[in-house]
């Protein structure tokens, strides 16, 4: 049987690619990115590499795809009221300046010849810190819930560091309506600057760092943190797509094929946040971060195959978990809606 | 307890010694390679963009951003339209953390 129709020629990378694989990667990362509020470069790049893209093309193509995918997810999240545009715009300034400072730091380390190990291990340490923070926050929240302690309308929360940070009264003070917070404008600017420096330094989009920073340091509810972070990823992704294209390392055809899958996946991931509690999202996010960290350690010690298997396995399991949340929640909502309509007809 | 601490210290010291060798083993940077799109196997719009990539990379970069935005918006609003037909309430949600 001739299977050539399943392969598409990529004129810039000069390779024939199994296009259903591209659609599947786009779909999976759309589901996960829409649910966690991150780009997911750590998932897409190895996937593209496995399909046959040279590494340099995999990174550039991935960044452009992330920008388009984040746009689709942001549109859906904004309908739910999960995007705090005011906070997003305030943070964009800090993020951009931070990314540039991080890139300068990388160039300095490059000059003194310490770039490789420092960057990789700083990344691993930060991922470990995030995972530890997320899981200990969950443990604390469970403990508080058992004791019957609740934090306002949002329910029980573990770490509430943001309450201390909100006491900083440096003008201008700003009210972020969608997030329901009132704080100094310097707080999100400084947080976005620090996460931007780290993102620029580590050469990543920054969603992995910004999403927990929004929750723990600024006090944004998990759902709004997901939507607002996607808005940030969209802007930084478009900028990244432009610069990577100037370097000639992008395959536009692959971006479009992946976006068709991402369009469906992003809807599922985004709508699933409606049926998930904040801590459900945080826990799954912590697990993803942990797997990302282990895969980097494996890569560092040249266990490339094991790292790829771990990443693809993580993508598969988290994707199924999110799809179950979405379809169960949607089915229940439709059942309840039908019951309400039947009761109304009887009355 | 002290034994575990000493062992961890040993592992960390070994990692620190091994790191430079691992970093040096990485491949040559791909930044200096000039990539040329192969226009022989593509036709129509794809031929146009492959040609543009070879001749005017700045214009190609602008087109990439514009087309990514256009594709993202088109698919986003199209999927939004399809999802609105499912009967789900897609305009409200309750924020519960735990």
């Amino acid at each position: 049987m001739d299977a050539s129709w399943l392969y598409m020629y990529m004129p810039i990378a000069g390779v024939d690619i199994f296009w259903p694989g591209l659609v599947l990667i786009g779909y999976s990362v759309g589901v996960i990115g829409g649910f966690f509020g991150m780009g997911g470069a750590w998932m897409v790049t190895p996937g593209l590499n496995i399909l046959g893209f040279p590494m340099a093309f995999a990174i550039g193509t991935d960044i452009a795809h992330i920008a388009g995918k984040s746009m689709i997810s942001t549109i859906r999240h904004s309908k739910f009221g999960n995007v705090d545009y005011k906070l997003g715009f305030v943070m964009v300034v800090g993020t951009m300046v931070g990314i540039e400072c991080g890139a300068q730091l990388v160039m300095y380390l490059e000059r003194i010849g310490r770039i490789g190990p420092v960057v990789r291990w700083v990344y691993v340490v930060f991922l470990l810190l995030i995972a530890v923070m997320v899981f200990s926050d969950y443990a604390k929240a469970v403990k508080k819930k058992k004791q019957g302690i609740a934090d306002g309308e949002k329910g029980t929360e573990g770490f509430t560091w943001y309450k201390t940070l909100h006491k900083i009264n440096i003008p201008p003070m700003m009210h972020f309506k969608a997030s329901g917070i009132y704080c100094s404008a310097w707080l999100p600017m400084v947080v976005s600057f620090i996460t931007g420096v780290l993102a620029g330094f580590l050469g990543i989009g920054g969603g992995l760092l910004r999403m927990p920073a929004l929750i723990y340091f600024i006090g944004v509810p998990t759902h709004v943190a997901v939507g607002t972070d996607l808005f940030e990823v969209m802007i930084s992704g478009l900028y990244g797509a432009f610069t990577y294209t100037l370097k000639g390392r992008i395959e536009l055809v692959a971006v479009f094929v992946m976006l068709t899958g991402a369009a469906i996946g992003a809807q599922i991931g985004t709508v699933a946040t409606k049926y998930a509690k904040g801590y459900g999202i945080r826990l799954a996010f912590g697990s993803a971060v942990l797997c990302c960290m282990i895969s980097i350690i494996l890569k560092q010690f040249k266990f490339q195959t094991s790292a790829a298997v771990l990443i693809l396995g993580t993508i598969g399991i988290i994707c199924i978990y999110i799809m179950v949340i979405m379809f169960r929640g949607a089915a229940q909502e439709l059942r309840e809606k039908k019951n309400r309509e039947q009761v109304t007809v009887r009355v | 307890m002290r034994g575990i601490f000493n062992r961890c210290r040993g592992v960390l010291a070994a990692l620190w010694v091994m790191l430079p060798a691992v970093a040096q083993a990485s491949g040559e940077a791909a930044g200096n390679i000039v990539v040329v799109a192969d226009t022989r196997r593509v036709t129509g719009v794809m031929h146009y963009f492959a040609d543009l990539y070879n001749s005017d990379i700045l214009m190609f970069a602008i087109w990439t951003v514009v087309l990514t935005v256009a594709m993202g918006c088109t698919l986003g609003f199209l999927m939004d339209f399809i999802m609105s037909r499912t009967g789900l309430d897609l305009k409200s949600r309750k924020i519960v953390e735990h």
Side-chain angles (χ1 to χ4, degrees), chain A residues 125-143:
Chain A
V125 167
F126 269 97
L127 293 178
L128 182 66
L129 283 176
I130 292 169
V132 168
M133 189 168 71
V134 169
F135 291 122
S136 30
D137 169 44
Y138 178 70
K140 196 177 175 189
V142 170
K143 201 177 163 188

Side-chain angles (χ1 to χ4, degrees), chain A residues 151-338:
Chain A
D151 296 288
E153 291 173 0
K154 288 196 271 182
T156 313
E157 282 185 288
F159 297 142
T160 50
W161 299 325
Y162 64 87
K163 285 183 180 171
T164 312
L165 293 169
H166 283 187
K167 287 175 188 161
I168 300 169
N169 280 323
I170 305 169
M173 298 298 285
M174 285 181 105
H175 178 60
F176 298 103
K177 202 179 163 190
S179 306
I181 53 171
Y182 179 74
C183 64
S184 166
W186 291 101
L187 178 61
M189 271 198 262
V190 169
V191 168
S192 61
F193 174 75
I194 295 169
T195 51
V197 169
L198 285 168
F201 179 72
L202 302 171
I204 57 170
L208 270 175
L209 307 166
R210 210 165 30 236
M211 209 281 264
L214 278 164
I215 295 171
Y216 294 113
F217 301 127
I218 306 182
V220 178
T222 310
H223 296 72
V224 182
V226 169
T228 309
D229 191 35
L230 277 166
F231 175 68
E232 291 273 310
V233 170
M234 177 186 87
I235 293 174
S236 55
L238 283 174
Y239 175 73
F242 182 74
T243 54
Y244 259 92
T245 314
L246 284 180
K247 287 172 193 153
R249 301 290 186 270
I250 199 164
E251 187 57 78
L252 199 54
V253 182
V255 172
F256 288 170
V257 175
M258 284 164 81
L259 276 180
T260 52
I264 303 165
Q267 300 297 321
I268 293 174
T270 310
V271 176
T273 59
K274 184 186 168 183
Y275 307 113
K277 285 186 177 175
Y279 271 90
I281 301 172
R282 291 189 202 186
L283 268 186
F285 177 79
S287 312
V289 166
L290 208 60
C291 290
C292 176
M293 186 196 79
I294 297 168
S295 80
I296 291 168
I297 296 173
L298 287 172
K299 266 190 221 164
Q300 179 70 38
F301 291 104
K302 303 285 170 199
F303 295 111
Q304 304 288 355
T305 317
S306 313
V309 168
L310 179 70
I311 289 175
L312 294 179
T314 308
I315 295 174
I317 292 167
I318 296 177
C319 207
I320 292 168
Y321 166 75
I322 297 169
M323 282 164 66
V324 168
I325 291 177
M326 151 73 190
F327 289 117
R328 267 194 191 160
Q332 194 180 343
E333 187 185 328
L334 290 174
R335 256 197 314 272
E336 283 170 5
K337 193 179 170 187
K338 201 177 171 185

Side-chain angles (χ1 to χ4, degrees), chain A residues 113-123 300, chain B residues 15-16 18-24:
Chain A
R114 305 283 308 164
I115 185 73
V118 172
V119 168
R120 285 185 206 114
W121 288 106
V122 167
Y123 196 13
Q300 179 70 38
Chain B
L15 282 177
W16 186 250
M18 283 158 66
L19 284 177
V22 174
Q24 279 167 4

Side-chain angles (χ1 to χ4, degrees), chain A residues 15-30:
Chain A
V15 285
D16 285 295
I17 297 288
F18 181 67
W19 64 264
L22 288 176
V23 177
L24 196 65
I25 289 177
Y27 171 81
S28 313
V29 181

Side-chain angles (χ1 to χ4, degrees), chain A residues 65-86:
Chain A
H65 155 255
I66 279 169
K69 183 212 73 179
S70 303
M71 195 169 285
I72 298 166
S73 299
T74 305
I75 290 171
R76 163 61 51 225
H77 270 294
S78 100
K79 292 272 168 80
F80 279 128
N82 286 347
V83 185
D84 194 326
Y85 287 105
K86 191 175 170 184

Side-chain angles (χ1 to χ4, degrees), chain B residues 1 9 14 24 26 29 31 33 36 48 50-53 60 64 68 72-76 78-79 85 93 97:
Chain B
M1 190 67 192
R9 216 164 51 174
Q24 279 167 4
S26 57
I33 301 166
V36 179
Y48 170 77
D51 204 32
L52 192 66
Y53 176 89
F60 183 76
T64 299
T68 304
C73 284
T74 310
L75 287 172
L78 178 72
M79 288 310 294
R85 296 279 173 268
R93 49 89 185 99
E97 294 292 355

